Amino acid sequence: VQTCALPISQAFEVFCYHDVRDSVDGDLEQESTTISTKNLAAHFAWIQAHGYHPISINDLLDAKSGKKPLPSKPVLLTFDDGYESFYSRAFPLLKLYKYPAVAALVGSWLEVESGKTVQYGDEQVPREHFLSTQQIKELADSGLVEFASHSYDLHHGILANPQGNKIAAAVTLQYDPASKTYESRESYRTRIKQDFIKNNAFIQSITGKSPRVMVWPYGSYNAIAAEVADRKSTRLNSSHRDYLVC
């Protein structure tokens, strides 16, 4: 995870979660990106018992600007992909412990109509497996949850070479087998920029706030994508501070 540059004395840990599913309940989760409600509750209890302090994005920005240092043993809680379980299973625990969290949304998945399916990797997942607009509004209004951009439609692989390899859409020049050519760097930059702008607009239309955090799909990014994300031109309101990049 990469975040804003802070002094070593203000380093912090990041706990990254995805789906919360009781079907994986057990001492060890059966899937690397899922956790049971029981184990998530155990994580939060451990955080509290061992003196860790979950922090918000405002805390990070204040520490970066020198307004105030982070608390002792700071930890950032993040939840990727916008699963419905973040609302139904994780949010009650956040409210119980009064812990802030960052939730990363993929706009194209959430704009799928109810009753249809979302292309999630190689699977077709019911739209209802992801957050609804009303749930996002409630979470945003809670004061505990900050929504991050997880791209509008870059959470998938694209054709990257004549051999048929697929690489994360945010970090590769797309290969066109018909013309046997690669996407130009300028076209790539424009594609990434337009995606960021579109997802910012989508999130702002629901929450009233343009996201201040970019969470890269698959954790993959490069210098061009990072530069585009850091430009104020990718945000709808130039008064917003620069992205934190996770």
Side-chain angles (χ1 to χ4, degrees):
V1 177
Q2 178 184 347
T3 58
C4 57
L6 294 172
I8 294 176
S9 61
Q10 297 195 64
F12 58 95
E13 302 290 339
V14 179
F15 288 7
C16 181
Y17 301 99
H18 289 77
D19 201 4
V20 184
R21 297 211 320 249
D22 291 335
S23 61
V24 298
D25 198 7
D27 292 334
L28 295 175
E29 311 299 359
Q30 298 173 7
E31 300 178 34
S32 61
T33 58
T34 59
I35 187 171
S36 68
T37 308
K38 181 184 77 173
N39 283 351
L40 182 61
H43 282 201
F44 284 11
W46 185 93
I47 288 171
Q48 183 183 68
H50 288 78
Y52 285 85
H53 296 93
I55 56 176
S56 68
I57 297 304
N58 281 337
D59 291 329
L60 286 178
L61 291 171
D62 285 346
K64 182 182 180 182
S65 66
K67 288 184 179 180
K68 66 176 182 179
L70 295 177
S72 61
K73 302 174 82 169
V75 59
L76 183 68
L77 304 176
T78 69
F79 292 80
D80 287 0
D81 296 351
Y83 290 102
E84 191 282 334
S85 62
F86 176 65
Y87 176 84
S88 60
R89 293 189 172 94
F91 186 44
L93 290 171
L94 294 174
K95 290 191 291 185
L96 177 65
Y97 284 89
K98 296 182 174 60
Y99 284 170
V102 175
L105 303 179
V106 178
S108 62
W109 295 349
L110 303 182
E111 288 198 315
V112 172
E113 294 179 10
S114 178
K116 295 188 177 180
T117 60
V118 171
Q119 182 69 45
Y120 185 79
D122 295 328
E123 300 180 61
Q124 289 290 332
V125 178
R127 168 62 182 85
E128 286 66 31
H129 198 55
F130 298 92
L131 291 167
S132 69
T133 297
Q134 187 55 47
Q135 289 170 334
I136 293 171
K137 288 179 179 178
E138 183 179 339
L139 290 163
D141 291 342
S142 72
L144 290 175
V145 178
E146 173 138 359
F147 283 105
S149 176
H150 207 25
S151 83
Y152 181 81
D153 189 25
L154 298 175
H155 204 302
H156 59 88
I158 58 174
L159 189 62
N161 54 45
Q163 291 72 36
N165 299 111
K166 288 190 174 182
I167 297 178
V171 297
T172 190
L173 302 180
Q174 188 163 12
Y175 179 74
D176 180 9
S179 63
K180 298 182 179 180
T181 60
Y182 290 90
E183 178 181 30
S184 70
R185 287 185 177 273
E186 191 54 42
S187 293
Y188 162 70
R189 183 187 296 271
T190 298
R191 173 167 62 85
I192 298 301
K193 178 180 177 179
Q194 292 304 315
D195 181 278
F196 292 170
I197 291 173
K198 190 171 185 178
N199 209 43
N200 285 2
F202 172 75
I203 293 174
Q204 186 171 26
S205 71
I206 300 174
T207 68
K209 300 176 183 178
S210 185
R212 300 185 293 179
V213 179
M214 179 66 202
V215 178
W216 300 107
Y218 312 112
S220 297
Y221 64 96
N222 59 26
I224 293 177
E227 178 189 353
V228 172
D230 196 46
R231 288 183 179 275
K232 285 186 172 61
S233 60
T234 62
R235 284 176 293 290
L236 302 175
N237 184 344
S238 61
S239 66
H240 281 281
R241 285 177 277 189
D242 287 351
Y243 269 135
L244 294 172
V245 181
C246 299

